[in-house]
Amino acid sequence: MNGNQRHWGVYAIDRTLPRILRWALWTAFLAAAGAGNSAQAQLRVVTYNTHFDGPFPGLGTVLQAIGQSERNGIAKPIDVLLLQEQDGPTGDTQQIVNILNGIYGAGTYAHGNLVGGSTDSSDRQTLIYNSGTIQFTPTLLPNLNDEAAIGSTASQPRQTMRYRLRPLSYDTSAQFYAYNSHYKANDDAASEAQRLVEANAIRINADALPDDTHIIFAGDHNFYRSTDDAFERLTSAGDAQAKDPINRIGNWHNTSSFSDIHTQAPCFSGCPAGFTTGGMDDRFDFQLMTAEFLDGEGLDFIPGSYYSFGTNGSLPC
């Protein structure tokens, strides 16, 4: 890129907060700069599995705290919120839009329209975006405009959602795609094989996008270790090869050296009603990125901005 083109960085947040006190969040930033490369604008991208019982009490406090949290000297409200375990855009997701607009003002946030396929009506992926910072055109028809459903429910019970986004007032050279997924859970051969089916569908779709496309692969991936077949498929060579922006590869399950990036459930057993169990011992939630986000040019990830919100690494595995 030449010196007159704007430079973007990505600031990330993971999802390690309670899902009704279940998980944390991964948060990430995209930042824009002018010819002098001083940051002029940033986007905060968050992925969060909020659980399927609807917004839990206190969710507004969590979302506002994310917006107030600072990384690399940047603190700003969420721009892109990728959600899992929703019953659809007009159900749980609309309630979360209402919560955010109650904090930041009427009309600040909106949601996508497309309802992805699912074998469970309360387990879909959705999008919320800040209409003052994000250019996005919701659709009522599948696979048109800025949102699409990926994969077939015959082989992928929870369809991945793909969103095309860009910062408001920027041209299409600043656009990026976000794949929002909820992969098959459990640590067994059959579940790993099912996750591979899902990863294959995503990579086939992503590889067909134009060369040099900026892509984020986000969501509740349920990977226990980097040798998981689906993780290896996402990170395999090709046009849309995914990268781990923090390069923390290994056996994430129940390994103390990864405690600072673990997400999942703070409560392990004997939990109060409404809490998801499981313990904070896995890195289930991700924002993987294509190399275009990591090359120091144009739209780019801000190093040091990707973290698991609500996690300090002190919880035992």
Side-chain angles (χ1 to χ4, degrees), residues 142-227:
N143 303 315
L144 296 176
N145 299 327
D146 286 354
E147 51 186 340
I150 306 303
S152 166
T153 53
S155 58
Q156 187 173 334
R158 299 179 282 246
Q159 278 189 304
T160 291
M161 297 299 296
R162 189 192 75 190
Y163 301 103
R164 183 175 61 187
L165 308 153
R166 60 185 167 96
L168 197 66
S169 301
Y170 283 73
D171 62 28
T172 56
S173 65
Q175 77 178 13
F176 63 99
Y177 287 83
Y179 285 78
N180 184 9
S181 303
H182 187 182
Y183 285 75
K184 177 69 173 68
N186 297 324
D187 191 14
D188 57 64
S191 298
E192 185 171 349
Q194 178 60 52
R195 288 193 289 273
L196 177 58
V197 171
E198 296 165 341
N200 274 327
I202 292 167
R203 274 300 303 268
I204 290 170
N205 185 273
D207 285 342
L209 293 173
D211 291 344
D212 301 323
T213 298
H214 289 73
I215 303 171
I216 296 174
F217 301 98
D220 182 357
H221 288 186
N222 282 312
F223 301 153
Y224 287 83
R225 53 197 63 85
S226 57
T227 55

Side-chain angles (χ1 to χ4, degrees), residues 94-112:
Q94 180 61 59
Q95 294 180 57
I96 298 173
V97 167
N98 295 342
I99 290 171
L100 285 165
N101 285 339
I103 298 169
Y104 297 108
T108 302
Y109 286 90
H111 58 68

Side-chain angles (χ1 to χ4, degrees), residues 214-250:
H214 289 73
I215 303 171
I216 296 174
F217 301 98
D220 182 357
H221 288 186
N222 282 312
F223 301 153
Y224 287 83
R225 53 197 63 85
S226 57
T227 55
D228 188 293
D229 288 343
F231 183 85
E232 291 190 335
R233 178 68 176 101
L234 287 178
T235 57
S236 63
D239 290 338
Q241 180 179 15
K243 306 280 187 179
D244 181 5
I246 55 175
N247 196 29
R248 299 286 296 277
I249 304 300

